[in-house]
């Protein structure tokens, strides 16, 4: 067998080549998976401080033909870099709005808000506003119940353009929340320029708030900031009673996490929470 010198990777790295081939195959599989409707929407419930169900977040899963189920962390990055996030995101939005429209006929589900993750690339893609408006029209979903979750990466560049696009969508009645708050590069001075209705405290901050006193001031500061900007505060990743109590006492409005409900297929969500007449 050939021995690999210390610097052989400078010329040819079989690992890197294998990784590139894997990516290319995954991208092809994703293209096919989109056509074959292998992407499945899961829903995770969100509750107010009194424990009332107020909404849900859509989280996509990929049911591959080989039987594997991939979580978004395993394919959203590739979807972004390949551009496939645009048709994938469109599919997710369509399915989400179909769900919202179904829920309108159910006593227990009709007032729920549905949060959908939207990546920057999708937000900036051609005619995004028109596409969203079309989906709302075609499905009959109410815009006011659709909340688009953006991460701080939208703050990184083209701020004026981004704000303009968000304003257009707000004009249609859609809401926006800022996801993963505190983990990215948001400039606080920009925060008030964006038409947001809510901030989501990232689960990294929620994670040890009940055991690590150092985590407390950060969460309190985020909540104070959100309040001064008149934004609703959603905490994600709530796993323990003690976290929930702390977050409620500190002024969070909405809670999401395994303690309260795991992500589940939309059909299961509907069975679990409807008053019985979804259809
Ligand atoms: P995210 O938007 O921050 O979503 C929350 C993630 O936390 C989800 O992971 C959810 O399953 C997980 N989670 C919920 N409750 C708990 C908890 O109590 N503890 C812990 N440890 N985790 C919890 P998931 O479903 O794997 O999604 C990962 C990320 O993929 C999402 O993070 C979101 O950024 C992205 N994503 C998911 N669906 C979509 C989509 O349709 N479009 C786009 N662009 N991104 C998506
Ligand atoms: Ca999210
Ligand atoms: Ca997050
Ligand atoms: Ca809201």
């Amino acid at each position: 067998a050939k021995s690999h010198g210390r610097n052989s990777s400078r010329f040819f790295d079989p690992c890197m080549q294998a990784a590139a081939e894997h990516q290319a195959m995954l991208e092809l599989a994703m293209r096919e998976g989109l056509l074959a409707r292998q992407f499945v929407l899961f829903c995770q419930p969100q509750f107010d401080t009194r424990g009332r169900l107020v909404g849900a977040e859509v989280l996509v899963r990929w049911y591959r033909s080989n039987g594997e189920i991939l979580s978004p962390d395993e394919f959203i990055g590739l979807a972004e870099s390949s551009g496939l996030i645009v048709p994938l995101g469109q599919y997710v939005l369509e399915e989400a709005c179909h769900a919202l429209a179904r829920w309108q006929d159910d006593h227990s589900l009709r007032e729920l808000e549905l949060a959908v993750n939207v990546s920057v690339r999708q937000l900036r893609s051609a005619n995004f506003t028109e596409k969203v408006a079309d989906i709302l029209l075609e499905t009959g979903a109410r815009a006011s119940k659709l909340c688009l979750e953006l991460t701080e990466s939208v703050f990184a560049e083209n701020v004026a353009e981004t704000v303009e696009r968000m304003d257009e969508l707000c004009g249609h009645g859609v809401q926006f929340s800022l996801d993963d708050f505190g983990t990215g590069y948001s400039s606080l001075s920009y925060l008030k320029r964006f038409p947001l209705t809510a901030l989501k405290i990232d689960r990294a901050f929620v994670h040890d708030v009940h055991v690590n006193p150092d985590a407390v001031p950060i969460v309190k500061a985020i909540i104070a900031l959100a309040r001064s900007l008149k934004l609703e505060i959603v905490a994600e990743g709530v796993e323990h009673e003690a976290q929930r109590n702390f977050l409620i006492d500190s002024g969070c409005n909405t809670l999401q996490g395994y303690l309260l409900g795991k992500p589940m297929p939309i059909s299961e969500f509907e069975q679990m929470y409807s008053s019985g007449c979804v259809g």
Side-chain angles (χ1 to χ4, degrees):
K2 183 176 134 201
S3 77
H4 289 271
R6 192 183 302 173
N7 292 322
S8 64
S9 67
R10 200 191 287 168
F11 305 104
F12 176 75
D13 183 335
C15 279
M16 272 178 65
Q17 166 132 0
E21 278 167 11
H22 175 74
Q23 295 285 293
M25 277 179 44
L26 204 60
E27 188 184 325
L28 185 64
M30 214 186 293
R31 260 175 225 288
E32 290 168 356
L34 262 170
L35 294 173
R37 302 174 72 94
Q38 290 171 0
F39 292 89
V40 176
L41 274 64
F42 274 48
C43 250
Q44 185 175 30
Q46 298 175 329
F47 300 87
D48 70 10
T49 53
R50 292 181 310 168
R52 261 189 341 142
L53 179 71
V54 291
E57 176 176 8
V58 168
L59 297 159
V60 70
R61 303 282 180 265
W62 181 11
Y63 283 64
R64 297 193 61 184
S65 48
N66 63 10
E68 255 186 313
I69 301 174
L70 295 194
S71 78
D73 289 330
E74 298 170 273
F75 61 84
I76 291 290
L78 181 61
E80 298 239 17
S81 60
S82 64
L84 283 171
I85 193 70
V86 175
L88 174 61
Q90 165 93 1
Y91 176 76
V92 170
L93 266 172
E94 283 168 7
E95 293 295 305
C97 287
H98 278 297
L100 272 178
R102 277 197 304 278
W103 296 357
Q104 285 176 41
D105 300 326
D106 184 273
H107 179 73
S108 305
L109 303 176
R110 54 173 300 122
E111 294 309 327
L112 300 188
E113 281 182 16
L114 192 54
V116 177
N117 294 287
V118 169
S119 24
V120 204
R121 188 152 179 186
Q122 191 188 354
L123 181 74
R124 300 220 173 105
S125 64
N127 307 318
F128 182 67
T129 305
E130 292 75 12
K131 284 186 191 167
V132 173
D134 283 350
I135 293 173
L136 289 167
L137 207 63
E138 278 163 23
T139 57
R142 284 172 292 174
S144 61
K145 299 300 181 190
L146 180 64
C147 182
L148 304 184
E149 292 195 357
L150 302 174
T151 61
E152 291 170 277
S153 53
V154 298
F155 287 29
E157 50 193 25
N158 301 99
V159 170
E161 250 174 68
T162 303
V163 170
E164 196 180 309
R165 182 145 286 194
M166 289 170 72
D167 282 337
E168 287 167 8
L169 285 154
C170 283
H172 288 279
V174 172
Q175 302 192 56
F176 284 99
S177 68
L178 186 60
D179 207 357
D180 299 350
F181 185 72
T183 61
Y185 23 164
S186 43
S187 154
L188 295 183
S189 60
Y190 276 160
L191 204 51
K192 60 180 188 301
R193 285 184 56 184
F194 291 85
L196 299 167
T197 56
L199 274 192
K200 279 187 98 163
I201 304 180
D202 191 65
R203 63 181 188 274
F205 298 113
V206 170
H207 182 252
D208 54 355
V209 83
H210 60 308
V211 285
N212 174 9
D214 294 342
V216 171
I218 297 177
V219 171
K220 295 237 187 214
I222 293 174
I223 292 170
L225 176 70
R227 281 186 150 180
S228 71
L229 293 167
K230 308 244 174 346
L231 298 174
E232 249 178 72
I233 308 141
V234 184
E236 66 173 26
V238 182
E239 296 180 353
H240 306 284
E241 204 71 55
Q243 289 168 332
R244 186 185 64 166
N245 295 338
F246 171 83
L247 292 162
I248 292 175
D249 290 345
S250 306
C252 283
N253 309 101
T254 308
L255 303 170
Q256 177 183 349
Y258 296 160
L259 175 72
L260 308 153
K262 292 207 167 173
M264 59 191 100
I266 288 197
S267 54
E268 204 174 294
F269 179 89
E270 290 174 349
Q271 271 175 29
M272 185 141 174
Y273 295 107
S274 80
S275 53
C277 38
V278 172

